Amino acid sequence: MIAFASSVTKPDVYRQCAEPGILRAREPDSVVRPLESIGSIFRSYNALLDEFSGREDLEALVLVHQDAEIVDADFCSVARRTLADPEVGLVGCVGAIGVRSIAWWEASVTCASFINRYDEHGGGDLPSFSWAWNDAPAYARLGEVETLDGFVLVLSPWVVRNIRFDEDLGAFHGYDLDLCLQVRAAGRKVMTAEFRAIHHRQLDMVPDPEEWSEAHIALADKWDGRMGIGIGAGSWKDRALRAEADAEAALVLAYMNALESDARVHELERAVAETAESISWRITAPLRWLQRTTPRRSRPELTPRSLAKSLNTAETL
Amino acid sequence: MIAFGSSISGAEAYQRYAEPGIARAAEPESKVLAFAAVEPIGRSYNLLLDAAAAHDDLEALVLVHPHSEIVDPALCAKVREAFRDPSVGMIGCAGARDVHSIAWWEGDVICGSVRQRYEEYHGGEFDAYRWTQRRPPPAEVDALDGQLLVLSPWVVRNVRFDETLLLGHGFDLDYSLQVRQTGRTLRVADLAVLHHRSLELISDLEVWVEAHIKVAEKWGAVLSEPPEGESDWKRRARRAEARREAARAIAMSESLKLDARVLELERTFEQMTTSASWRATAPLRLINRLRRERAARRELAQPPVTADA
């Protein structure tokens, strides 16, 4: 039996995002367990592990963020196939190698089969590089990795029964990297597999930089060079000075991007305003009003969601 | 006499921006020292200092970056007013307090009427350092922006730019710290300046990072409390590495957000210009454009109106 579980802090988000994906992926005998959060994600997930560790028929436990939506209907068969190797402890759809910190995306990412779907500015989709394998770059591949993004994690029964999330590390950040490190330290493999998910989230990657930085430090201190975490070139002084310079360079880059974007926005706003103020736009206003008020033949609207649906349909055909 | 100096690395930029600004601000007796740039920037500026120091009647030396245009006809009067306080060693149009690195703008920024004009995306203009909160001058600061520096005669004759800073970036912070070490103060005055520069504020971020490290090594204890031992350095490194990766993630997020904002406007514009009504009226706009062009040509062809006429 493949079980699905989530730690839920926002029930409406769970209903809109995680639940449809789980319903799409589950099998008739699957147990679906949305757990109302009992504190940190570390603690909630441990509660779920405790709950399922006694199930003898457990084939896998899938931990799904409340804002993550599994896309593939054959998800269970992919999970089962990957976990057929008894050495495999964890499976995900986004992973990296050469990881040195919780900023796994700074390492060499090998697989990123997800879409970041955002609501800001009218909404949109940002497909990652292996969302569509036909267009994936040469470095995209499935297989063993050092860490996975925790938004969808498939745990083997062995992991459910023998590993626990480290509740001393904080509230949220770094739970996934630490779990992967523990599993690998125990001799099990961490793998990416061919399934996809949609991450419904805002565009802010780090909305809480202070908390995130504390988690970064806590994890670096915990592993302190083991499994490659927290290592770097040069003396501590060299590393401090370089990192301080790099941090400010990153901010400069952000300012430059903001300036460029503002310039583009001004240019577009000018163009929109010129169009809206032109005689031809104003004299044709009644036509547009008529068009808006006349019932039209309904046509499927092209939205990110319909796009994802059409991708699904195309694959099943 | 207030002298103006510029180290010219791009002759065209100097002619277009710095020169008209100097002409606007200079007084009849002002000297203009326009020298070809030599590397590093410290050497260039020291040449200007030597030339200015030779003038016994020097009241101030205004160092103008070739891309900076002074738009303040009252600049000389403002400079004289600021230097009435003999403790003031240097004045600028922008600067900051609580500065810990060559990224002085990460401190508490004081800035007057300083604008940035860019040419990309059909051109435009906005307040300089718009990404941060700016407080108005006058105010004493820890460091001044090197785009426009006004030096007192004492500073011109006694403080030299560090020619070992080969990478260019951070020369202004270094010079500011040197001036402050002599006991003189730095002030931001309300000087109106227009920076003509690309939206790309720093074209060589890797070089900038190296310059950041070099200046941090030189001024370590002045810029931040020095760690006492290896374990303190380790703590500082851990924190800095966390901050670096957070900053990179934030930069990436900001970039995504800004792209989304632009995309939203592009969608609006596309919807407008692909609408049936817009397409149907294309001939009208074509006729209008031709009419405007013909009128412009006719205007050009007309002989100029003379006073006799």
Side-chain angles (χ1 to χ4, degrees):
Chain A
M1 184 275 291
I2 295 180
F4 293 82
S6 297
S7 163
V8 180
T9 56
K10 295 175 181 166
D12 53 328
V13 173
Y14 173 79
R15 274 195 298 277
Q16 281 167 24
C17 308
E19 194 172 61
I22 292 171
L23 295 179
R24 189 179 297 138
R26 66 171 293 182
E27 293 173 326
D29 63 339
S30 290
V31 174
V32 178
R33 175 75 168 102
L35 170 75
E36 190 181 338
S37 171
I38 54 165
S40 70
I41 195 165
F42 298 85
R43 181 163 299 170
S44 297
Y45 275 3
N46 278 343
L48 289 166
L49 264 53
D50 290 343
E51 194 174 317
F52 283 98
S53 61
R55 292 280 306 232
E56 291 206 350
D57 58 344
L58 187 75
E59 290 178 272
L61 172 63
V62 186
L63 296 174
V64 186
H65 274 202
Q66 61 188 1
D67 58 358
E69 180 182 346
I70 297 168
V71 166
D72 304 270
D74 64 344
F75 173 86
C76 284
S77 58
V78 172
R80 202 171 270 122
R81 203 165 51 236
T82 314
L83 288 174
D85 176 355
E87 295 297 305
V88 174
L90 292 173
V91 185
C93 64
V94 182
I97 58 171
V99 178
R100 291 182 172 181
S101 76
I102 65 171
W104 55 264
W105 52 85
E106 293 270 330
S108 181
V109 181
T110 57
C111 178
S113 305
F114 77 109
I115 275 181
N116 184 169
R117 179 165 294 165
Y118 62 91
D119 288 335
E120 299 102 307
H121 301 292
D125 277 8
L126 297 170
S128 287
F129 65 79
S130 56
W131 169 258
W133 282 97
N134 289 346
D135 299 328
Y139 54 81
R141 62 185 178 275
L142 298 171
E144 200 170 345
V145 291
E146 290 175 14
T147 194
L148 295 167
D149 186 333
F151 75 126
V152 180
L153 283 176
V154 186
L155 282 64
S156 74
W158 184 89
V159 169
V160 173
R161 292 179 189 123
N162 293 283
I163 306 280
R164 286 294 174 270
F165 290 91
D166 184 347
E167 296 181 22
D168 292 335
L169 284 176
F172 181 77
H173 300 294
Y175 76 93
D176 40 6
L177 171 60
D178 184 69
L179 181 77
C180 292
L181 291 166
Q182 287 192 63
V183 168
R184 286 172 49 229
R188 303 285 161 144
K189 290 184 202 166
V190 174
M191 307 284 290
T192 50
E194 195 170 2
F195 69 87
R196 295 176 303 166
I198 300 169
H199 204 171
H200 299 258
R201 53 175 290 173
Q202 56 183 4
L203 292 167
D204 251 337
M205 289 169 72
V206 181
D208 48 357
E210 282 305 313
E211 201 179 302
W212 189 89
S213 295
E214 291 306 322
H216 188 291
I217 294 167
L219 219 93
D221 283 345
K222 174 180 174 178
W223 291 91
D224 203 20
R226 286 179 295 136
M227 316 286 288
I229 301 303
I231 63 169
S235 67
W236 288 114
K237 182 180 175 182
D238 295 338
R239 287 174 62 175
L241 295 183
R242 181 159 297 280
E244 284 166 2
D246 285 342
E248 284 179 344
L251 293 176
V252 169
L253 191 63
Y255 303 149
M256 292 197 298
N257 287 341
L259 289 181
E260 186 176 354
S261 170
D262 284 348
R264 285 167 70 196
V265 166
H266 285 161
E267 185 189 37
L268 280 164
E269 281 174 348
R270 276 197 299 255
V272 169
E274 275 169 24
T275 305
E277 285 161 17
S278 67
I279 295 169
S280 54
W281 184 258
R282 280 181 286 145
I283 60 170
T284 52
L287 288 177
R288 288 190 298 280
W289 180 82
L290 267 176
Q291 207 175 16
R292 276 199 304 272
T293 51
T294 310
R296 277 183 299 172
R297 215 161 17 123
S298 65
R299 208 171 33 174
E301 195 187 354
L302 188 64
T303 61
R305 194 175 291 278
S306 70
L307 186 68
K309 272 188 189 155
S310 67
L311 278 170
N312 272 342
T313 318
E315 281 199 353
T316 50
L317 285 175
Chain B
M1 180 275 290
I2 294 178
F4 292 81
S6 193
S7 159
I8 304 173
S9 49
E12 192 195 334
Y14 177 77
Q15 277 176 347
R16 287 177 67 186
Y17 313 127
E19 195 171 38
I22 291 171
R24 188 176 294 129
E27 294 171 327
E29 70 274 21
S30 290
K31 294 279 183 296
V32 179
L33 309 165
F35 291 178
V38 285
E39 292 293 329
I41 192 166
R43 193 170 154 216
S44 264
Y45 275 8
N46 284 339
L47 282 173
L48 292 168
L49 263 54
D50 291 340
H55 292 276
D56 291 337
D57 57 347
L58 184 75
E59 290 178 272
L61 170 64
V62 187
L63 292 175
V64 188
H65 188 278
H67 283 83
S68 292
E69 181 181 354
I70 300 167
V71 287
D72 195 337
L75 180 121
C76 286
K78 290 177 182 176
V79 165
R80 267 191 200 97
E81 172 64 26
F83 280 139
R84 279 175 62 186
D85 177 352
S87 70
V88 176
M90 191 159 64
I91 307 164
C93 59
R97 296 174 183 146
D98 196 22
V99 173
H100 297 286
S101 76
I102 65 171
W104 58 265
W105 51 83
E106 293 295 329
D108 180 12
V109 172
I110 314 288
C111 182
S113 315
V114 183
R115 307 265 296 164
Q116 176 181 349
R117 185 173 289 174
Y118 59 90
E119 290 182 353
E120 297 98 318
Y121 302 106
H122 295 107
E125 192 180 306
F126 35 53
D127 284 340
Y129 323 109
R130 60 178 289 161
W131 59 82
T132 189
Q133 200 178 352
R134 308 168 1 148
R135 293 208 286 124
E140 189 177 332
V141 291
D142 295 343
L144 289 168
D145 179 4
Q147 296 281 326
L148 184 101
L149 294 172
V150 189
L151 284 59
S152 75
W154 187 90
V155 167
V156 169
R157 295 189 178 106
N158 292 283
V159 186
R160 284 286 169 275
F161 285 88
D162 184 349
E163 297 184 17
T164 69
L165 297 177
L166 300 174
L167 302 172
H169 301 291
F171 79 93
D172 42 6
L173 171 65
D174 179 78
Y175 197 70
S176 295
L177 294 175
Q178 285 196 67
V179 171
R180 283 178 52 223
Q181 271 198 334
T182 68
R184 300 304 203 267
T185 59
L186 312 178
R187 288 189 78 76
V188 174
D190 191 9
L191 309 175
V193 174
L194 190 55
H195 295 320
H196 298 264
R197 59 190 300 180
S198 158
L199 297 167
E200 191 181 45
L201 302 172
I202 298 170
S203 57
D204 47 359
L205 271 177
E206 284 176 16
V207 176
W208 188 86
V209 164
E210 295 306 321
H212 189 292
I213 294 170
K214 177 96 177 155
V215 174
E217 282 170 341
K218 177 178 174 183
W219 290 99
V222 174
L223 291 172
S224 56
E225 202 175 317
E228 282 185 359
E230 194 66 2
S231 65
D232 278 2
W233 275 114
K234 182 177 178 179
R235 204 95 308 273
R236 182 163 155 182
R238 286 269 193 253
R239 186 151 297 281
E241 286 172 357
R243 189 169 168 258
R244 168 183 61 196
E245 282 159 16
R248 284 178 177 163
I250 289 167
M252 175 57 74
S253 305
E254 288 304 309
S255 182
L256 293 176
K257 280 194 264 182
L258 297 167
D259 283 349
R261 193 170 143 220
V262 168
L263 185 66
E264 187 184 27
L265 270 169
E266 282 174 348
R267 277 186 202 138
T268 306
F269 187 59
E270 198 186 329
Q271 273 169 10
M272 288 174 94
T273 53
T274 55
S275 66
S277 59
W278 187 253
R279 279 180 284 134
T281 51
L284 286 178
R285 289 191 298 281
L286 179 67
I287 292 166
N288 247 338
R289 201 180 69 225
L290 292 174
R291 206 165 46 87
R292 277 198 302 270
E293 284 172 4
R294 194 189 301 162
R297 275 199 303 274
R298 208 177 299 140
E299 204 170 290
L300 277 176
Q302 274 180 1
V305 179
T306 63
D308 294 340

